Amino acid sequence: MEAFAALGYKPEQVTKILLTHRHADHSGELKSFPNAKVYVNQDEMDAAELQGLTNLVPVSFTDGPYYNFPESQKIHDGIYLIKAKGHTKGNSIIIVENEGLFYMLHGDITYVDEALYEDKLSVVYDDLPAARETQDRIREFIRNHPTVYCGTHTPQGYENLEAKRVMDLDNPVPTILAEVDFSNQKASGKYVCSICGYLYDPAEHDGVAFEDLPDDWRCPRCKQPKTKFNKA
């Protein structure tokens, strides 16, 4: 919310929010927008992360197919919520049409663009076959439409948006990380949540090493288990 304010906006100005999925790193600040209608796949309405919110608008996708996606809901002219089950049972993607381009705001279909180029599924999913079907449809859509692919867990998403960069699945865009040699890197003792990016630093937790945390410990931000963390 500090970043939102720094851009000169007030939460009260927001009237519509389209939610891609329930995970807390995407839904955790919905409570901060009192005047907004929050459009969410009706299959996510029972999610623990969304309980207590009174401004949810369940979407049942009654507007039929959107190109090769079987179910969609038109939210406004040029703005569509698309059912894209897999990452969660009610996962959705957003497609915005503008000046001949299709901007795909996809939440967590992939965490980095390299995964889509290489056709690798996300490491997190509620329904693996559905996740595969969704990714196949997304790749088919991108091959047939000039698409700006906007991820939320990678700088690539913001770079693509700013540059209006159309994704070409056959010609990956080089990234800085792809050129870094990690073979001689040493572990820092810190761990990073692969879901939301939360950094566990023992220095901020009374010196308790990550390995010594109880097995039922969960990420303070997104509530995922220890198994979702990677060494930093």
Side-chain angles (χ1 to χ4, degrees):
M1 296 309 298
E2 289 84 357
F4 192 74
L7 292 172
Y9 295 105
K10 297 180 180 179
E12 294 79 10
Q13 294 175 277
V14 178
T15 58
K16 291 183 176 69
I17 295 174
L18 277 62
L19 185 67
T20 57
H21 62 291
R22 60 179 174 81
H23 288 155
D25 53 315
H26 293 258
S27 64
E29 283 299 332
L30 291 175
K31 62 184 182 297
S32 297
F33 299 91
N35 297 333
K37 293 181 178 180
V38 181
Y39 294 84
V40 54
N41 186 331
Q42 63 180 358
D43 293 334
E44 299 274 72
M45 290 293 291
D46 61 350
E49 295 92 336
L50 304 182
Q51 299 311 298
L53 296 171
T54 60
N55 52 348
L56 300 180
V57 178
V59 175
S60 54
F61 302 97
T62 57
D63 287 336
Y66 179 85
Y67 295 96
N68 64 313
F69 295 102
E71 297 178 80
S72 71
Q73 192 79 41
K74 182 178 179 180
I75 304 299
H76 195 272
D77 289 345
I79 302 176
Y80 299 85
L81 194 64
I82 311 294
K83 182 179 280 191
K85 181 179 178 180
H87 180 64
T88 68
K89 69 176 184 179
N91 197 76
S92 306
I93 60 175
I94 300 150
I95 295 180
V96 179
E97 301 175 357
N98 185 257
E99 297 180 348
L101 297 179
F102 297 81
Y103 294 83
M104 183 177 289
L105 315 175
H106 61 79
D108 293 347
I109 297 298
T110 57
Y111 291 108
V112 293
D113 287 10
E114 288 92 342
L116 196 70
Y117 285 124
E118 298 179 20
D119 198 14
K120 293 182 179 179
L121 292 178
S122 165
V123 296
V124 180
Y125 45 79
D126 285 347
D127 185 329
L128 179 56
R132 166 44 61 194
E133 181 178 351
T134 289
Q135 183 150 311
D136 288 346
R137 291 187 185 280
I138 285 174
R139 285 173 57 85
E140 179 185 351
F141 184 89
I142 289 173
R143 287 195 180 280
N144 290 285
H145 303 86
T147 303
V148 180
Y149 189 71
C150 300
T152 53
H153 287 283
T154 170
Q156 296 158 320
Y158 306 97
E159 294 166 3
N160 294 342
L161 179 60
E162 184 174 4
K164 298 183 180 180
R165 180 187 294 145
V166 172
M167 176 171 269
D168 180 351
L169 292 175
D170 298 319
N171 294 284
V173 175
T175 64
I176 294 174
L177 288 179
E179 300 171 358
V180 176
D181 179 8
F182 290 99
S183 60
N184 295 319
Q185 299 295 311
K186 295 182 180 180
S188 65
K190 302 174 184 179
Y191 280 72
V192 180
C193 178
S194 63
I195 306 304
C196 72
Y198 176 82
L199 179 68
Y200 181 88
D201 184 348
E204 297 177 359
H205 295 269
D206 300 322
V208 177
F210 184 82
E211 293 84 353
D212 294 334
L213 293 170
D215 291 340
D216 61 354
W217 182 88
R218 290 183 174 271
C219 176
R221 181 183 293 163
C222 68
K223 312 306 178 186
Q224 294 296 316
K226 287 179 65 177
T227 55
K228 299 301 182 183
F229 278 73
N230 298 315
K231 288 182 179 181

